[in-house]
Amino acid sequence: MKAVYSHTIYSTINHLPKEWDELAASTIFLSKEYLAILEKSAPINMSCHFIGIFDKETLVGIAVSQFIDLNQLESFGERDQCIKSSVRNIVFKNFCSHILLIGNNTLTGQNAFVISENANPTEVLKTLQKAVIALKAIFKAKGKKVHMCGLKDFCEDKLNLLEIPEFKPYLRFSTQPNMIFTVRDHWKTEEDYVAALSKKYRDQYKRARKKATGLVKKQLSLEEIMAQEDTIYDLYHHVAKNAPFNTFFLPRNHFAVFKEQLQENFLFYGYFENDRLIGFNTLIKNGTDLDTYFLGYDDSLQREKMLYLNMLYDMIGYAIKEQFKTVIFARTALEIKSSVGASPLKMYGLMSHDNTLINSQLDFFFRYLEPETVWKERHPFQD
């Protein structure tokens, strides 16, 4: 007899079933301690819900959903001032301003759901789609019609899970790859990594390190993050608003809440010149993965000090020292990330528009508004 699963939608982690974290063991990004961050300091235009899938009384699947209201944004990003960007902004504001996402828009990678190994994955995903329909009804009752639904991010080998009739109306798409740095087994120190680079990229490393002479790098405590909150936000916001496209901006207290919730699993590194904070980066420990999170810097000093490149090297050095297997560098700045040794992993998503006519042309609109990123992959290692 085929299993028939049910779903429950939660608006607070306080109501999650006690066995939730057992299913979330494979990723910190579905754990209660992380989901508390979304509950306490999600972007102002984002509403989060948590979904439990049940086989009778047994929890067999968990997922996170985010409703994103683009009407609450002042800007989608200020870097690309061109006609295509203006058209894209008009389209998003008028036809796609309410997005319901299964997954996490603040992260890169498959952090959408986990399915129990004892469950029928097809039935879990069918039930997940029923939860999507229920969430649309919840927001409609609040006067917010969902224009577009989506799921993100999946590797190619996971896409077959979603090849079921419930997701047939969804367009399969791919955007910028996830940049993954693999730590080699025999590397024990940062010097081992540098020795593996070809001469050109060893010279790049040496030049970047020399430029950063005089800067002081320091891991900040919760109290220090709170004390520097305004400066941190200004540095973050400068980088975020100059991105080509944004669907959210983090709230001012976000990093403090992150540190408070994850403690030693969240690392905040500040870069100081003459005791003044001029940049920062953040890391999240996720099993054998080290996930890079948001960063910020003073643009007037970034190039002079090669600050961004030095941050990448510092992240790699920490991963080697602590024996992580991979560094998840996420999207954007693909070429410079490949120059330090990260490799692209193609990621896929699904999306569907509520308007049947628009949905039938979604592939055209997507290719026009989000053309494939052209970049040159670097190969910095000697072998």
Side-chain angles (χ1 to χ4, degrees):
M1 184 177 173
K2 189 168 71 172
V4 178
Y5 295 153
S6 62
H7 71 267
T8 302
I9 296 169
Y10 306 93
S11 58
T12 172
I13 63 161
N14 294 331
H15 296 157
L16 295 182
K18 63 181 184 300
E19 64 270 35
W20 182 281
D21 275 347
E22 294 174 23
L23 233 57
S26 61
T27 173
I28 197 172
F29 298 120
L30 280 171
S31 68
K32 289 181 183 180
E33 64 176 357
Y34 170 77
L35 296 180
I37 298 166
L38 294 181
E39 190 173 328
K40 294 178 180 180
S41 69
I44 193 169
N45 67 325
M46 182 184 289
S47 302
C48 299
H49 287 84
F50 319 113
I51 303 164
I53 311 291
F54 294 87
D55 178 3
K56 298 189 175 105
E57 302 299 318
T58 304
L59 186 68
V60 294
I62 58 175
V64 61
S65 79
Q66 295 177 338
F67 175 81
I68 303 163
D69 186 351
L70 298 182
N71 289 322
Q72 293 186 41
L73 285 186
E74 292 180 13
S75 166
F76 289 126
E78 299 173 5
R79 193 189 76 183
D80 296 343
Q81 301 293 337
C82 63
I83 293 175
K84 186 171 283 191
S85 293
S86 300
V87 170
R88 180 189 60 190
N89 293 350
I90 291 169
V91 168
F92 271 93
K93 278 281 188 182
N94 291 281
F95 303 105
C96 308
S97 59
H98 293 164
I99 300 169
L100 179 61
L101 186 71
I102 299 297
N104 194 325
N105 206 34
T106 67
L107 303 167
T108 300
Q110 205 294 83
N111 302 298
F113 56 76
V114 169
I115 300 172
S116 168
E117 59 184 22
N118 299 318
N120 181 324
T122 298
E123 293 304 317
V124 170
L125 290 168
K126 283 182 178 180
T127 310
L128 184 59
Q129 177 59 12
K130 290 177 183 176
V132 169
I133 294 168
L135 281 164
K136 289 171 74 173
I138 288 171
F139 285 106
K140 187 176 181 181
K142 296 178 180 179
K144 295 196 172 185
K145 176 182 169 62
V146 172
H147 299 128
M148 185 173 287
C149 294
L151 293 90
K152 69 179 285 280
D153 289 307
F154 304 97
C155 302
E156 192 168 9
D157 62 346
K158 298 296 183 186
L159 270 181
N160 63 325
L161 283 175
L162 299 162
E163 295 296 332
I164 57 177
E166 284 74 10
F167 292 107
K168 191 174 181 182
Y170 285 71
L171 170 72
R172 275 70 174 158
F173 67 93
S174 179
T175 55
Q176 291 188 5
N178 191 0
M179 298 301 288
I180 310 291
F181 181 92
T182 302
V183 177
R184 299 184 181 181
D185 291 339
H186 63 278
W187 291 347
K188 303 303 175 188
T189 65
E190 190 172 325
E191 288 71 29
D192 294 332
Y193 158 73
V194 177
L197 297 170
S198 66
K199 183 181 183 304
K200 175 182 175 180
Y201 292 98
R202 269 201 311 276
D203 289 345
Q204 173 182 282
Y205 174 89
K206 292 174 183 175
R207 187 165 63 253
R209 290 316 204 191
K210 188 175 181 181
K211 289 278 189 179
T213 302
L215 295 185
V216 175
K217 177 191 169 191
K218 179 185 176 185
Q219 185 180 162
L220 271 59
S221 66
L222 172 60
E223 292 72 25
E224 288 169 320
I225 293 169
M226 293 173 72
Q228 294 272 6
E229 198 164 80
D230 288 342
T231 303
I232 289 168
Y233 186 78
D234 288 345
L235 294 171
Y236 152 74
H237 193 256
H238 169 76
V239 173
K241 75 178 183 181
N242 283 290
F245 187 63
N246 273 312
T247 55
F248 65 87
F249 289 97
L250 298 174
R252 198 169 290 267
N253 71 340
H254 186 77
F255 299 107
V257 171
F258 226 113
K259 187 66 177 175
E260 185 178 38
Q261 283 298 131
L262 295 193
Q263 299 179 32
E264 292 310 307
N265 283 327
F266 178 69
L267 306 175
F268 188 106
Y269 286 100
Y271 291 75
F272 294 83
E273 183 179 54
N274 300 325
D275 296 325
R276 182 172 72 91
L277 183 66
I278 63 166
F280 73 89
N281 66 58
T282 52
L283 296 167
I284 305 163
K285 300 177 185 178
N286 185 19
T288 59
D289 293 337
L290 187 65
D291 280 66
T292 64
Y293 198 51
F294 290 93
L295 54 77
Y297 49 72
D298 182 333
D299 202 39
S300 66
L301 295 168
Q302 200 286 119
R303 290 186 182 180
E304 176 192 339
K305 302 294 184 180
M306 297 179 75
L307 193 51
Y308 183 73
L309 188 55
N310 275 294
M311 288 180 181
L312 297 181
Y313 289 134
D314 286 341
M315 293 169 184
I316 289 169
Y318 180 84
I320 295 169
K321 178 187 169 200
E322 298 299 325
Q323 289 296 284
F324 286 90
K325 290 186 176 179
T326 52
V327 183
I328 312 299
F329 275 129
R331 297 188 171 96
T332 70
L334 306 179
E335 205 157 309
I336 192 170
K337 287 172 181 174
S338 79
S339 81
V340 301
S343 300
L345 176 65
K346 199 161 188 178
M347 305 298 292
Y348 296 86
L350 277 69
M351 63 179 171
S352 174
H353 199 282
D354 194 62
N355 182 293
T356 306
L357 180 60
I358 294 176
N359 197 57
S360 67
Q361 301 298 316
L362 210 50
D363 189 32
F364 166 78
F365 288 123
F366 180 79
R367 292 179 189 280
Y368 175 77
L369 297 172
E370 289 293 326
E372 189 173 349
T373 304
V374 178
W375 65 287
K376 185 176 181 180
E377 184 176 357
R378 306 296 177 175
H379 302 279
F381 297 114
Q382 297 184 65
D383 47 23

